[in-house]
Amino acid sequence: MSKKFGRFVLVICLSIVVAACGAGPESTGSTVPAETTTTISNLGGDRLPVQIPGEEYGHFAASLTGTLHLQSNGCWTVDLGDGDRLVVFPPDYTLASDGAAMMGPGGVSFSDGMAVDAIGGIVPTEGFPGVPDGFWGNYFEFCDPAAAEAVVVDELTPAFDVAALPADELVTMLQEADLSMSWGCGLGFTLSTPDQRVALYLSPNDYEAVPNSPVSFPDDAWQASVAVGKNLMANHCDDVLEGWEPEAVFAAEWPVISGTLQFEPPESASCGAIGPVEANLSGIVVETPEGPVDLGDLTVVNEAYGCFAG
């Protein structure tokens, strides 16, 4: 059973290993490698491996945290906590003139030993387009012939240390939050920002009965709160934890002090017995050290209502 669910049903099956609940935001690529191939010369340290337009790399978008390394042969790797893997960067990244760093959009520089946050996924090297021939086969052969996996990165930023932020900046994060991403699993409802730095959790205390609706907060039968942190949806509804998966970091958590949750309760909460359950949230207000924050009206969809990890 899930180690996380006793709290709030914390992360969706967004990882490369898909948990039993089978729910999560849409993937960013086909799980079937493209049949295209690209042959490019100048392999190794004088060329930055970036995603090639028109190719698909068969990965799901997940939150990743790690450390970049520039190897002696000029190849880039990232350690996600369980050892170095070769990296494929977003298409708009370039190698710096001295070859010792790379440049992202807006002139952001990334160098050896830098801690980073990323959105991306782990892909078997044999699943890359054109492998074993073509550019990717040659690149892996040059950088690490024994490499079984590579990390395909869609977004990359310097590591975000949310724990170092003062309370007023955490509240500002909540005030500016775009709570637009729904997460499935359980008998409650969860929303987060796309970067998983702010999340709203609404979860009934009794998992043995189908909850009633509407619910007016606060309600003794429900847990209702907002968290501010980093990788807040990591391992949500997932009881198969991989060594590369990040841990959720909670910098602050505040209660929902008013608002209404309304949805159509299904007759059965059995996993797979029903389709998605949509809920409307109105007048959701959160108590913070800087005063109440009104989140207004929101819509959330539980795509895997009644499903749990395991």
Side-chain angles (χ1 to χ4, degrees):
M1 295 301 293
S2 171
K3 300 177 182 178
K4 301 287 183 182
F5 189 77
R7 178 184 172 80
F8 283 116
V9 188
L10 280 179
V11 165
I12 201 162
C13 307
L14 176 61
S15 58
I16 305 305
V17 178
V18 181
C21 65
E26 295 182 358
S27 65
T28 59
S30 169
T31 57
V32 179
E35 296 181 356
T36 61
T37 182
T38 304
T39 302
I40 303 176
S41 59
N42 298 328
L43 305 181
D46 58 348
R47 178 175 176 80
L48 188 68
V50 298
Q51 297 184 38
I52 299 172
E55 290 189 345
E56 296 182 354
Y57 302 99
H59 67 291
F60 289 90
S63 292
L64 305 172
T65 296
T67 304
L68 288 175
H69 293 136
L70 178 58
Q71 304 297 331
S72 58
N73 60 0
C75 298
W76 289 87
T77 61
V78 62
D79 184 354
L80 302 177
D82 61 347
D84 282 299
R85 291 182 178 86
L86 294 171
V87 189
V88 176
F89 296 100
D92 49 357
Y93 280 62
T94 59
L95 197 64
S97 58
D98 61 2
M102 60 181 156
M103 308 301 294
V108 179
S109 177
F110 297 86
S111 57
D112 178 49
M114 188 172 183
V116 293
D117 294 328
I119 300 295
I122 299 174
V123 179
T125 53
E126 64 181 11
F128 275 75
V131 168
D133 301 316
F135 171 68
W136 292 115
N138 292 332
Y139 188 82
F140 296 142
E141 181 67 23
F142 175 89
C143 288
D144 183 0
E149 298 175 327
V151 180
V152 176
V153 175
D154 301 311
E155 299 178 22
L156 187 68
T157 60
F160 176 58
D161 186 7
V162 67
L165 297 180
D168 61 333
E169 292 189 31
L170 296 176
V171 173
T172 299
M173 287 176 59
L174 174 60
Q175 293 170 331
E176 298 176 350
D178 172 24
L179 292 166
S180 59
M181 183 171 286
S182 295
W183 300 79
C185 201
L187 303 180
F189 301 92
T190 304
L191 278 173
S192 82
T193 54
D195 60 12
Q196 300 184 28
R197 294 179 180 177
V198 180
L200 169 66
Y201 306 107
L202 306 173
S203 179
N205 294 322
D206 184 1
Y207 298 121
E208 301 300 324
V210 177
N212 292 322
S213 174
V215 179
S216 295
F217 299 110
D219 187 312
D220 291 339
W222 283 73
Q223 302 177 56
S225 67
V226 162
V228 179
K230 176 179 174 180
N231 299 324
L232 291 176
M233 306 312 299
N235 300 321
H236 172 76
C237 200
D238 183 3
D239 60 355
V240 182
L241 307 184
E242 302 293 334
W244 52 266
E245 292 182 294
E247 290 290 329
V249 177
F250 289 81
E253 191 168 3
W254 304 306
V256 172
I257 57 174
S258 67
T260 301
L261 164 67
Q262 190 160 7
F263 61 102
E264 187 67 34
E267 294 182 0
S268 170
S270 176
C271 179
I274 57 174
V277 175
E278 180 176 305
N280 295 313
L281 310 176
S282 58
I284 299 295
V285 178
V286 181
E287 184 176 30
T288 78
E290 303 294 314
V293 174
D294 188 349
L295 300 182
D297 299 339
L298 301 165
T299 299
V300 56
V301 179
N302 186 337
E303 295 281 353
Y305 196 87
C307 298
F308 296 84

